[in-house]
Amino acid sequence: MAADARGAIVLSARSLSRDYPQGSERLAVLRGIDLDLAAGERVAVLGASGSGKSTLLHLLAGLDRPSAGHVTLAGVRLDELDVTGRVKLRNRSLGFVYQFHHLLMEFSALENVALPLVIAGVRQRRARREAERLLERVGLSRRRHARPAKLSGGERQRVAIARALATRPPVVLADEPTGNLDEETGAEVYALMLEINREFGTAFLIATHDAVIARGAGRVLRLDHGRLGPSPRDSA
Ligand SMILES: Nc1ncnc2c1ncn2[C@@H]1O[C@H](COP(=O)(O)OP(=O)(O)O)[C@@H](O)[C@H]1O
Ligand SMILES: [Mg+2]
């Protein structure tokens, strides 16, 4: 990414709300969230379990629709696209890392990483070459032909990170990416995301309930009672 692209807003939310039916009532999970993520930025979203972190990330990725408000990704409003348009924009502009890897179990690590490129229309050979490069970057060259079942939890998350980066999107959203790992492995996976953030200039928004993880972020926000605000560390 060019240096002058830093500072541009790559993802934003305006008055974002989401509620779910609960009996005859509505459960308001998000209540008017505003967020701007700048190119190359690193933001942690802290929140207790059930505070709405996954709901927020799914809305930001266009995987779910808000009850009110809207999301703009790479300059395009998600609500103005049809399903195909959203899928295309997401493929190009956004990577997603889940708590439970979500890799395709029938595919090798290499095939999993190459898939977003193939979907983007890149030829097989080039997609595989690029996937090899990314797997090398996350330290998994030797394991590239292994299927996810043969990989450790930390290795699977490294593959998931490589996959999220495949199309070199400006934004990666990570939903408790270390939540399923032991402390040491989680710290390694998190450190890898920080390195990649610096090297590739990819903006990262990382949801976590772990305040220690959040310490490495450039900005820490807290999701509480459906609202997103600066965390005590940042507001001090
Ligand atoms: N599809 C759904 N239908 C109804 N309630 C939901 C749904 N998804 C999430 N919720 C509720 O929304 C709240 C926030 O959930 P979630 O976003 O998963 O929180 P977090 O990721 O912070 O743990 C929880 O109370 C959860 O039960
Ligand atoms: Mg969650």
Side-chain angles (χ1 to χ4, degrees):
M1 182 182 303
D4 61 3
R6 284 184 189 266
I9 301 301
V10 288
L11 179 68
S12 70
R14 289 291 172 273
S15 307
L16 205 61
S17 297
R18 180 68 164 103
D19 44 51
Y20 293 113
Q22 192 181 51
S24 57
E25 315 262 294
R26 306 285 302 177
L27 171 69
V29 176
L30 304 177
R31 308 164 184 252
I33 285 186
D34 292 310
L35 172 71
D36 284 309
L37 185 68
E41 210 186 358
R42 200 165 65 232
V43 173
V45 173
L46 264 177
S49 176
S51 60
K53 301 183 296 297
S54 294
T55 301
L56 174 62
L57 264 57
H58 290 160
L59 291 177
L60 293 174
L63 296 167
D64 180 26
R65 285 169 186 273
S67 310
H70 63 263
V71 172
T72 304
L73 171 63
V76 181
R77 270 181 63 159
L78 295 181
D79 56 313
E80 291 174 354
L81 297 173
D82 60 11
V83 176
T84 313
R86 269 203 300 282
V87 168
K88 278 191 177 160
L89 180 64
R90 192 158 57 229
N91 174 250
R92 245 192 348 257
S93 304
L94 188 123
F96 206 104
V97 181
Y98 298 85
Q99 179 171 355
F100 301 100
H101 62 86
H102 280 241
L103 298 172
L104 297 175
M105 300 305 274
E106 297 305 310
F107 284 15
S108 69
L110 185 69
E111 289 161 345
N112 268 283
V113 177
L115 193 59
L117 288 164
V118 172
I119 291 170
V122 175
R123 283 174 194 275
Q124 285 280 353
R125 268 185 53 194
R126 228 189 93 203
R128 289 177 74 93
R129 242 194 346 258
E130 181 62 16
E132 276 175 11
R133 225 175 277 144
L134 283 164
L135 282 172
E136 190 179 344
R137 177 59 195 86
V138 300
L140 282 180
S141 267
R142 281 188 318 113
R143 308 291 282 136
R144 66 187 181 282
H145 297 304
R147 290 188 184 184
K150 301 279 184 191
L151 300 174
S152 70
E155 287 174 336
R156 284 180 203 155
Q157 284 306 61
R158 285 169 184 268
V159 176
I161 290 168
R163 177 188 55 181
L165 293 165
T167 65
R168 303 292 177 120
V171 183
V172 169
L173 305 181
D175 191 1
E176 306 214 39
T178 63
N180 201 30
L181 304 175
D182 64 67
E183 206 174 306
E184 193 184 331
T185 310
E188 284 169 14
V189 165
Y190 186 66
L192 176 66
M193 287 192 289
L194 297 189
E195 285 170 26
I196 283 169
N197 159 261
R198 279 189 291 269
E199 261 173 57
F200 290 19
T202 314
F204 272 81
L205 185 78
I206 305 175
T208 176
H209 62 261
D210 184 345
V212 175
I213 289 284
R215 245 186 251 149
R219 187 150 63 101
V220 184
L221 302 173
R222 178 172 288 278
L223 188 57
D224 192 21
H225 291 97
R227 297 186 193 279
L228 191 65
S231 92
R233 185 206 79 163
D234 266 29
S235 56

